[in-house]
Amino acid sequence: MAREPSVLDEQRSADTDGTAPVDGGNKMLLDRRTVVKLAGVTTAGAALAGATTATNDYEEITASGQTIRIEQGETYENKLFDLTNGNSVLLLVEGGNSTIRNIGFKGLHRGDAFMISITAPSGDVLIENVYLGDGSTKEGESFVHGPGAVFMHRNANCDVTFRYCNVQGWPNNGFYCSNTADGGSARFENCYGKNNGVSTFRVAGGNDRIEHCVAYNDNTDYGPGWGGYVEDSGRPLWVWPGGTVSIEDSHFAAGSYPYAAVMRGSGSAQMSGGAIDGNVQGNGLQRSSVSSSADLSIPEGVPTSPEEAASGGSDSGSDGDETPEDDEDDSDLEHLLLFDGDDADVTRYEFEVSGELEPSTHNGATIDDETRIDGGIAHGVVADWKDAFRFSGDLEQLTVDGPATVSLDGEEIDPGEYGEDLPHILEVEGRGAPTNFEITVDGTIELDSEEDPEDEATTISGSTVQSSVTDSSQVFRFSGAVTDVTFAEGEAAVFVDDEEIDPSDYGEYELLPHALVIDGSDADGPSAYSFAVSGTVVKSEYRDATIDEGDVIEDRQVRGALENGLDAYWFDGDIEDFTIVGDANVDVQYNARDQ
């Protein structure tokens, strides 16, 4: 389910006279697809107390009661916290558009508070690949039931996604997120909880969602080292009033506890697929194709040790007693294709196989929504991370644009040996009237002709082509996918691999009048930006700007980053909000095409 875009801050607003001030600004969300352009720019905004030890993959930190604050736009990742000395630590998420990733907590927790608390008043928060599986004792009375794992405060009005999290043995809830009834949302993807007191998944809001998750109980003392409470036994699922929670392909089992799921008061949930093994309290659970035989194996991608989480690796599909070297050795798909990115630049890739195809977490690779799979064809992007795929049959086509290395079944390969560099054909067929067009792809495009492009009145700049037709056709070869088709005047038929496409499905059908340019040519370092417009916005090569895969347009909101060079956009309407961090210059030109 698509996330609603967060509201952008108002610390730096573009003036209506076509200029923008350069003072102030916030750090904005840079997701995994943009972080390569701003490596080293954002770090957690707090000094760490306690001893630290650096490894090749993560930093090990001895817990000493410290609080680590994650502020707006910051990413905190690759840390292993050692709790074996009896001390605690708190990760406090105070700002939206922030990320906690690859964090492991090692040893039995002996404090009396939560480990991760979220107070961000707005924006998106991602908590990914976290291990809280060593549990806690019930010591101290700061909270009614003792310590918990994750707590979303009542004043947190942000949208939180929990992905690949392992939470076991916490007396006061695994994920305490029922305050979403007052605002914000909690979404769980491929998360695992076991033997948590009170509940594992505690939710309420109508925008809350649980997908491909597992929660169950199999002991009688409610967690390691703490006494049980019959009246508040560990419900795998507890839904409070606030809206109808969506649950998909998830599994809950009560074990010896009274209930596998509880609908408190008017709390309700719509569950499709998956299973519930045990009683349900309340009448608010609607089920569709739900089994009574729960699969309690750890979901794919969830870390099974603190070291695994901190290093960004994962083992999955086990019952927690084994940690296989490759979580997919038993796959029926015999071949493995691995793209190992390079932080020097983004690499775009596309490939086609003759058999079945699925993403993999082999060797620390991650599975992301940005990767597109259609039958036996896949498109994606890597930078300082890895993407992996398992497949059957033969690798028939492979195109790689960037510095990433590619290995097939453990051996590095040359992409040039697999099919054509530009496998797709684009044809623009005139309809008898002069037509000027601009087409952009997310790979490389070339004129398919022995003539010089200039002789054909054709301009090709990176991934964009500009040309014209009347009653003839222009043919191009390209890699990747078509992302934008724009007509300055006239109209023409457009074919991709001999199939006609609807140009209105690909970006803007008509040219937009206004230009916004972010110029980092003279900046001292990288810059990150975001803005919103009241009309339509598209990427542009105006003034020789580059079009980058990492810059994101969601509805009418844009966020991106650059170091040197220019980013440019065409838009109509007004600029409603603009925020930037860094020294890049911003230039807004209204009716730029008329100048």
Side-chain angles (χ1 to χ4, degrees), residues 335-351:
H335 299 301
L336 177 73
L337 188 66
L338 177 69
F339 297 87
D340 191 351
D342 189 320
D343 61 7
D345 200 356
V346 170
T347 297
R348 300 176 180 88
Y349 64 82
E350 174 186 6
F351 67 93

Side-chain angles (χ1 to χ4, degrees), residues 241-589:
T244 300
V245 175
S246 298
I247 304 171
E248 180 180 339
D249 294 329
S250 295
H251 296 257
F252 310 105
S256 61
Y257 292 68
Y259 300 104
V262 173
M263 305 291 113
R264 182 183 177 98
S266 61
S268 63
Q270 179 68 52
M271 183 173 181
S272 61
I276 292 183
D277 186 352
N279 296 323
V280 176
Q281 185 181 48
N283 299 317
L285 182 62
Q286 304 298 317
R287 314 182 208 187
S288 174
S289 302
V290 175
S291 169
S292 60
S293 179
D295 179 0
L296 304 181
S297 58
I298 298 177
E300 182 176 351
V302 173
T304 58
S305 73
E307 294 82 5
E308 204 174 285
S311 64
S314 63
D315 291 315
S316 61
S318 70
D319 59 5
D321 296 328
E322 299 179 356
T323 306
E325 181 178 349
D326 182 357
D327 56 1
E328 296 168 2
D329 279 342
D330 296 331
S331 173
D332 294 333
L333 307 180
E334 65 269 28
H335 299 301
L336 177 73
L337 188 66
L338 177 69
F339 297 87
D340 191 351
D342 189 320
D343 61 7
D345 200 356
V346 170
T347 297
R348 300 176 180 88
Y349 64 82
E350 174 186 6
F351 67 93
E352 181 176 3
V353 300
S354 61
E356 296 181 1
L357 171 66
E358 65 181 29
S360 166
T361 58
H362 177 83
N363 196 24
T366 56
I367 299 173
D368 304 286
D369 294 338
E370 293 85 350
T371 302
R372 301 190 300 257
I373 297 179
D374 182 8
I377 301 175
H379 305 264
V381 177
V382 291
D384 56 348
W385 58 88
K386 301 174 183 177
D387 283 358
F389 302 85
R390 288 193 177 274
F391 69 94
S392 60
D394 296 322
L395 178 60
E396 297 185 334
Q397 175 70 46
L398 174 62
T399 303
V400 178
D401 183 9
T405 57
V406 186
S407 60
L408 176 61
D409 297 333
E411 298 291 332
E412 186 172 340
I413 61 174
D414 179 3
E417 297 178 357
Y418 294 84
E420 302 179 36
D421 291 338
L422 304 176
H424 301 300
I425 297 175
L426 171 71
E427 182 179 2
V428 182
E429 183 179 283
R431 289 291 187 254
T435 299
N436 296 323
F437 64 87
E438 178 179 294
I439 297 177
T440 300
V441 301
D442 63 2
T444 301
I445 188 167
E446 294 180 358
L447 179 66
D448 188 18
S449 171
E450 295 181 358
E451 302 294 331
D452 189 300
E454 293 184 0
D455 295 337
E456 300 288 326
T458 299
T459 300
I460 298 176
S461 177
S463 58
T464 298
V465 58
Q466 295 175 324
S467 191
S468 62
V469 292
T470 301
D471 52 9
S472 60
S473 295
Q474 289 268 30
V475 180
F476 305 87
R477 300 198 70 93
F478 70 96
S479 62
V482 175
T483 60
D484 184 83
V485 179
T486 301
F487 290 101
E489 62 176 333
E491 60 180 18
V494 181
F495 299 85
V496 174
D497 295 335
D498 295 328
E499 292 189 9
E500 187 171 4
I501 64 173
D502 183 354
S504 63
D505 292 336
Y506 295 81
E508 281 307 296
Y509 191 78
E510 296 181 356
L511 293 180
L512 302 174
H514 313 312
L516 188 152
V517 179
I518 300 96
D519 187 351
S521 303
D522 298 325
D524 293 333
S527 298
Y529 60 85
S530 69
F531 65 91
V533 301
S534 62
T536 302
V537 59
V538 297
K539 300 176 185 180
S540 169
E541 291 190 333
Y542 179 62
R543 286 172 47 182
D544 295 326
T546 58
I547 294 180
D548 303 306
E549 179 73 17
D551 299 333
V552 177
I553 298 178
E554 294 178 346
D555 193 16
R556 298 174 180 178
Q557 300 192 3
V558 179
R559 64 177 184 267
L562 78 167
E563 183 173 10
N564 302 319
L566 287 80
D567 282 358
Y569 300 86
W570 293 111
F571 71 97
D572 61 4
D574 296 318
I575 296 176
E576 296 184 329
D577 195 17
F578 192 97
T579 305
I580 191 167
V581 57
D583 299 327
N585 294 319
V586 180
D587 182 20
V588 180
Q589 297 182 11

Side-chain angles (χ1 to χ4, degrees), residues 44 54 78 84 93 102 199 216 222 237 249 347-348 418 506 524 545-546:
N78 297 105
T84 58
V93 183
N102 301 341
S199 69
Y216 72 102
Y222 305 95
L237 172 66
D249 294 329
T347 297
R348 300 176 180 88
Y418 294 84
Y506 295 81
D524 293 333
T546 58

Side-chain angles (χ1 to χ4, degrees), residues 215-226:
Y216 72 102
N217 304 304
D218 66 358
N219 67 4
T220 58
D221 65 355
Y222 305 95
W226 57 286

